[in-house]
Amino acid sequence: MTMPYYVAPEQVMKDRAEYAQKGIARGRSLIATVYKDGILLVAENPSHTLHKISEIYDRVAFAGVGKYNEFDQLRVAGIRHADTKGYAYSREDVDARSLANVYAQYLGQVFTHEMKPLEVEILVAELGDTKQTDRLYHISYDGTVIDQEHFAVLGGDSEAIAERISATLSTDAPIKQALSICIEALQGPDRQLNSRELEVGALDRNLQRRFFRRIDESELEKLLKSKK
Amino acid sequence: MTLPLFTPNQDPGPDFSALLNTLGHSEIPSMAFSASDYSRLTQSPQNSDVMQAIPHGTTIVAIRYNGGVVIAGDRRATEGVSIAHRSIEKVFPADRFSAVAIAGAAGPAIEMVRLFQTQLEHYEKVEGAFLSLEGKANQLSQMVRSHFPMALQGLVIIPLFAGYDTKRSAGRIFSYDVTGGRYEETEFHTTGSGSRSARTTIKLGYKESLSIEAAVLLCIKALYEAADDDAATGGPDMIRQIFPIVAKVDQNGYEQFPQETVKEYFASLISEIRTEPT
C-alpha cells in the first residue's frame, strides 16, 4: 500500500503564489490613475488588437495583465455580468464593487481549489459622479481585493513603477500631463516608450452615458507631441 | 449573481439573447409565457377583452435624405378605442449609428427594443467591433421571428429599422413583417395603423436626395395626415406641448431633434395648410 505524499498547505499556497507571480511578471505593466476629467488607463502593449483595457459598462472599465486568454475570459465574463444585471434591473444598478467581489470570489476559488491558479491581475475602475467617488479595485491572482486611492499599478514591475508614479502624481492633472506622468513611470529612467507600444483608454467625465473611450494611436501621438 | 463563465463548447459568444437562454433567464418576451397560455387567457369568455386592454402604438415613418435617414413616430398609444398614453415614445436609438421604431403591442415591443439595444452593445463590447448595419438588421429580424407565436395570438409587433451605413456612407431603411421577413427600402417606409395616409403623403412629396429640412418636414406632414385620418394616431398636442419624436442618423450618429424644433416645423406646416372658414 502506498501512502499519499503529505505536502504542508503553506507550501502548496506558496508554490501556487510563486507560479502565478512568475506568470504575471513575464507580462508588461499597466497604470490606472485619477486625472482631472476622470480615470486614465495606460498599458504597455505592443499589440493593437489584443487589448488589455476595455469597456465593461457605462461607468465601469476593465484592465488586466498577465496571461491574455485568462484575463480576456474574465473581461468577457464581466461584460456578461454587467449586461445581464443592467438588463434585469436598471443601468444605474451596475457598479464596480459588486463586479470586483464576483471576480475576487472566482479568483480565490481557482487559487485554492484548482490545479493551477490564474496568472492574472485585474483592475475594475468605476467613474463616480465626482472625483471623490471614483473607484479603483485591484484584484490579484489569489482573490485579494484592494480598494486603491488615486492610482493603481498592475504587473511584474509594479513596486518600482508605483514608487515612481507616487512621486509625480497629481489628481488634478489634465489628460496630457497625466499621460506623460504615467508613461514616464512605466518606462523608467532607461527606456523610451513610443505611442505604438502603448494602449490608452479613459473613463471621461465629459462624455455621456457610456463614459469609456479609447485614445487611439493618432490622438495619442498628438497628445504626446504637444507636450514637448 | 456569480461570474457567468462557460466551458468552450457552451459559450454563447457575443450573443446576448443566447446568453440569457444559457443562464436560464426568461426576460425575452416571447419566452416569458407560452403562446398557448396566452391563447387560453384571451379566448376564455371572461377575458375576451384582454386584447382591448393592451396598449398599441401606431404610426412610424422613415425617409432617406442626402446625408442619412430621418425617422419619426407619433406619441399616442391606444387601448381599443380609448387613448392609453399621450406621450409614449416609439423611436429609440438602437446604437450609435442606428435607430429602431416600433408599432404594435407596446409592452412586448418596448421590451424587444430594450433587448435589441443590449444585444448590439453587448456584441460591440465583447467583440471590440461594431456589427455591420446589415448584421444589426438581421439580428432584429431574428427577434421578430422568435416573437411570431405571440403575433399569431394577436400581439403583433412591427419594427422599423434605420441607420447610417458607415461603409457605404449612406442611410438605409429596413422594414419587417410579423414572420421576421426583412426588406430593404430604397426611399422611405411607413408602418402602423396610420401608415396608409402617411405613405401617400410621403410618396407625393418625395424626391431623390432631399435635404435634411425637407425630409423632416415631409415626415411631419406624413404624421399630420396620418393623425388626420386615423383615430389611433396622435397629432401635435398644442395644449400639452407634446409633439412627435423625430430623429436623424447621419455620419455623426443618432440625434433626436428637440421638441422645440419639431414644434417649429409644425407651426410652419399649419400656417401652410390652414384654411379660414368661409
Side-chain angles (χ1 to χ4, degrees):
Chain A
M1 194 179 133
T2 53
M3 289 290 285
Y5 285 112
Y6 173 75
V7 185
E10 290 90 345
Q11 190 59 43
V12 176
M13 292 304 146
K14 205 168 146 256
D15 288 353
R16 286 189 180 167
E18 223 163 74
Y19 178 84
Q21 281 161 1
K22 258 190 209 161
I24 294 163
R26 271 196 292 271
R28 295 162 213 236
S29 309
L30 178 154
I31 301 180
T33 165
V34 173
Y35 77 107
K36 181 169 159 273
D37 297 323
I39 298 169
L40 186 69
L41 301 138
V42 185
E44 195 182 336
N45 185 359
S47 168
H48 281 250
T49 45
L50 305 176
H51 296 302
K52 287 184 170 176
I53 297 168
S54 139
E55 173 186 15
I56 294 271
Y57 211 67
D58 296 353
R59 293 178 163 275
V60 183
F62 173 95
V65 295
K67 213 160 174 244
Y68 175 77
N69 68 322
E70 291 180 350
F71 72 71
D72 195 61
Q73 189 196 19
L74 292 175
R75 174 188 76 90
V76 173
I79 294 171
R80 286 177 177 155
H81 175 86
D83 276 348
T84 34
K85 197 174 176 193
Y87 181 68
Y89 302 105
S90 138
R91 293 196 82 88
E92 57 198 281
D93 295 317
V94 178
D95 64 332
R97 193 185 50 83
S98 89
L99 183 61
N101 281 333
V102 174
Y103 276 138
Q105 291 289 334
Y106 178 70
L107 285 164
Q109 173 82 11
V110 173
F111 184 73
T112 45
H113 295 281
E114 300 286 322
M115 275 287 289
K116 163 190 134 25
L118 293 175
E119 297 156 67
V120 296
E121 235 178 286
I122 58 174
L123 179 90
V124 183
E126 181 179 75
L127 186 73
D129 290 326
T130 61
K131 196 173 287 173
Q132 282 69 40
T133 50
D134 284 348
R135 294 280 177 267
L136 297 170
Y137 295 104
H138 181 167
I139 306 145
S140 53
Y141 57 86
D142 61 351
T144 313
V145 193
I146 314 163
D147 177 1
Q148 294 196 293
E149 223 176 323
H150 306 320
F151 75 95
V153 183
L154 281 73
D157 204 16
S158 62
E159 274 170 32
I161 297 173
E163 219 164 88
R164 286 197 285 268
I165 194 167
S166 58
T168 47
L169 182 77
S170 149
T171 57
D172 288 320
I175 189 156
K176 258 185 250 171
Q177 195 192 341
L179 191 61
S180 64
I181 290 172
C182 288
I183 293 172
E184 270 157 33
L186 270 181
Q187 66 193 9
D190 334 305
R191 285 193 312 160
Q192 195 80 41
L193 288 171
N194 66 39
S195 59
R196 293 193 60 81
E197 295 164 300
L198 291 167
E199 180 189 349
V200 183
L203 285 165
D204 186 340
R205 211 169 268 121
N206 300 322
L207 301 181
Q208 278 176 358
R209 200 171 80 87
R210 287 168 76 181
F211 293 91
F212 179 82
R213 72 183 180 105
R214 281 188 191 288
I215 293 162
D216 60 16
E217 209 190 316
S218 59
E219 188 183 350
L220 190 57
E221 227 155 65
K222 251 185 245 162
L223 284 171
L224 292 180
K225 242 181 227 153
S226 59
K227 92 179 172 194
K228 281 167 196 165
Chain B
M1 266 180 149
T2 53
L3 202 59
L5 285 158
F6 303 94
T7 54
N9 56 357
Q10 282 182 323
D11 196 291
D15 185 347
F16 185 70
S17 17
L19 171 68
L20 287 184
N21 283 337
T22 327
L23 292 174
H25 285 234
S26 55
E27 273 115 333
I28 306 166
S30 61
M31 300 181 70
F33 64 130
S34 71
S36 59
D37 287 345
Y38 182 75
S39 156
R40 192 161 37 75
L41 278 172
T42 49
Q43 279 164 17
S44 59
Q46 68 271 37
N47 286 313
S48 57
D49 53 355
V50 163
M51 274 312 294
Q52 294 286 305
I54 294 168
H56 278 69
T58 45
T59 311
I60 304 294
V61 301
I63 302 178
R64 288 183 64 199
Y65 72 96
N66 59 15
V69 56
V70 179
I71 185 163
D74 74 306
R75 305 291 292 274
R76 181 172 291 178
T78 55
E79 280 169 8
V81 292
S82 55
I83 293 170
H85 298 282
R86 293 175 205 283
S87 60
I88 193 174
E89 295 190 9
K90 306 169 201 171
V91 178
F92 306 89
D95 68 351
R96 197 176 153 202
F97 287 107
S98 62
V100 59
I102 40 124
I110 288 170
E111 194 55 32
M112 187 185 282
V113 168
R114 225 160 71 82
L115 184 63
F116 183 53
Q117 288 169 328
T118 311
Q119 175 97 341
L120 298 186
E121 190 186 312
H122 189 71
Y123 180 96
E124 186 194 323
K125 288 189 293 197
V126 171
E127 292 289 299
F130 278 106
L131 262 176
S132 65
L133 194 68
E134 193 118 4
K136 294 174 202 169
N138 287 338
Q139 281 282 305
L140 187 56
S141 166
Q142 283 164 27
M143 281 183 193
V144 178
R145 191 179 312 130
S146 74
H147 185 80
F148 186 54
M150 300 296 274
L152 281 181
Q153 303 300 327
L155 284 183
V156 174
I157 303 175
I158 306 283
L160 180 58
F161 180 66
Y164 186 78
D165 193 326
T166 45
K167 283 207 179 102
R168 295 192 190 180
S169 304
R172 294 172 76 184
I173 298 172
F174 296 90
S175 67
Y176 296 84
D177 65 24
V178 282
T179 64
R182 192 214 81 184
Y183 315 94
E184 180 159 6
E185 307 292 336
T186 50
E187 298 173 334
F188 58 86
H189 190 71
T190 64
T191 176
S193 60
S195 63
R196 189 181 281 266
S197 322
R199 178 160 54 234
T200 313
T201 312
I202 298 177
K203 207 171 174 180
L204 293 172
Y206 184 82
K207 279 192 276 307
E208 208 137 291
S209 359
L210 286 171
S211 68
I212 176 72
E213 293 80 15
V216 172
L217 190 62
L218 197 52
C219 278
I220 282 180
K221 224 179 203 169
L223 286 176
Y224 176 85
E225 294 299 341
D228 208 28
D229 287 343
D230 172 38
T233 303
D237 190 336
M238 295 295 184
I239 296 165
R240 298 181 186 81
Q241 298 287 306
I242 300 167
F243 300 95
I245 300 285
V246 185
K248 65 170 178 177
V249 190
D250 60 12
Q251 57 178 348
N252 298 318
Y254 177 93
E255 189 191 332
Q256 190 177 314
F257 288 95
Q259 287 279 285
E260 205 49 42
T261 314
V262 180
K263 184 185 172 182
E264 281 161 23
Y265 274 102
F266 265 111
S268 69
L269 174 68
I270 288 168
S271 65
E272 185 189 313
I273 57 181
R274 167 179 273 156
T275 47
E276 297 297 331
T278 47

